[in-house]
């Protein structure tokens, strides 16, 4: 179990959602996590499904695919997937299928709520991190939107010169 604890504490320190938690707070979260392993090709979560769990990948690799199957990201150890859904209760925005045998910790929404109710410091810290993560995603989306607007504007005003034809 001590290897699980050290892996989890290391994972917590790398996951933005859990930054700032001390080791004893991380262990409080570990106590309500389940450890799970899956084989390559196993669907971890499907686009549109209810978000009731988040996953902290310990080994393996998890491609993230959009509804139409396009890969948009790849989760590598030690990272999380599905964390926003257990706070926002939004449906899954992507499908995650293990590309190789993978193991991870599973933190359920209701277990997370219980830990946060019992420890207000954890609740405040995680809530602050959720807000910061969502704010960063909003900034990133706004930046991408402005970039796309500039591309469209440049295409709308850009003139392409017709090739000159030489006369004999």
């Amino acid at each position: 179990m001590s290897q699980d604890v050290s892996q989890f504490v290391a994972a917590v320190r790398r996951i933005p959602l859990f930054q700032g938690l001390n080791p004893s707070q991380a262990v409080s979260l570990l106590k309500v996590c389940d450890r799970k392993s899956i084989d390559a090709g196993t669907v971890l979560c499907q686009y549109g499904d209810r978000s009731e769990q988040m996953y902290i990948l310990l080994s393996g690799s998890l491609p993230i695919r959009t509804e139409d199957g396009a890969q948009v990201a790849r989760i590598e150890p030690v990272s999380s997937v599905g964390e926003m859904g257990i706070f926002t209760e939004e449906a899954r925005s992507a499908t995650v299928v293990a590309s190789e045998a993978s193991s991870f910790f599973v933190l359920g929404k209701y277990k997370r709520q219980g830990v946060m109710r019992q420890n207000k410091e954890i609740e405040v810290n995680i809530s602050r991190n959720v807000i910061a993560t969502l704010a960063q995603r909003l900034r990133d989306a706004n930046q991408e939107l402005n970039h796309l607007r500039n591309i469209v504007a440049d295409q709308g005003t850009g003139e392409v010169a017709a090739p000159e034809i030489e006369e004999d």
Side-chain angles (χ1 to χ4, degrees):
M1 183 66 169
S2 65
Q3 182 181 3
D4 281 350
V5 171
S6 63
Q7 280 185 307
F8 190 80
V9 170
V12 165
R13 292 182 180 183
R14 293 182 57 191
I15 298 169
L17 183 64
F18 299 133
Q19 285 183 351
L21 296 181
N22 65 43
S24 67
Q25 292 169 330
V27 169
S28 294
L29 283 172
L30 174 63
K31 288 179 181 176
V32 298
C33 286
D34 297 316
R35 182 144 184 186
K36 185 175 180 178
S37 295
I38 58 175
D39 294 324
T42 303
V43 176
L44 186 61
C45 57
Q46 184 78 34
Y47 176 89
D49 286 352
R50 293 180 60 174
S51 297
E52 303 217 344
Q53 299 172 321
M54 68 170 284
Y55 309 95
I56 301 167
L57 184 64
L58 300 173
S59 66
S61 182
L62 302 172
I64 310 299
R65 299 191 180 280
T66 61
E67 181 181 18
D68 63 3
Q71 183 174 323
V72 293
R74 177 177 296 276
I75 302 298
E76 301 290 340
V78 175
S79 298
S80 64
V81 64
E83 67 275 14
M84 287 297 114
I86 67 172
F87 288 92
T88 64
E89 298 186 11
E90 294 290 322
R92 298 282 185 200
S93 60
T95 296
V96 180
V97 180
S99 61
E100 60 187 270
S102 301
S103 66
F104 43 87
F105 287 117
V106 180
L107 177 59
K109 176 174 69 173
Y110 300 111
K111 290 181 178 182
R112 182 225 13 114
Q113 289 172 344
V115 168
M116 289 175 65
R117 272 191 226 111
Q118 292 172 359
N119 188 322
K120 292 301 175 187
E121 288 179 35
I122 292 175
E123 181 176 25
V124 168
N125 198 337
I126 290 177
S127 296
R128 190 174 294 137
N129 291 340
V130 167
I131 292 167
T133 298
L134 292 174
Q136 183 61 51
R137 288 180 181 176
L138 181 60
R139 281 191 297 276
D140 292 346
N142 284 338
Q143 186 176 22
E144 180 66 17
L145 181 59
N146 284 332
H147 175 72
L148 294 172
R149 282 183 181 154
N150 289 337
I151 289 173
V152 169
D154 289 346
Q155 289 177 349
T157 60
E159 292 182 25
V160 177
E164 291 186 27
I165 301 175
E166 292 184 12
E167 293 185 49
D168 290 61

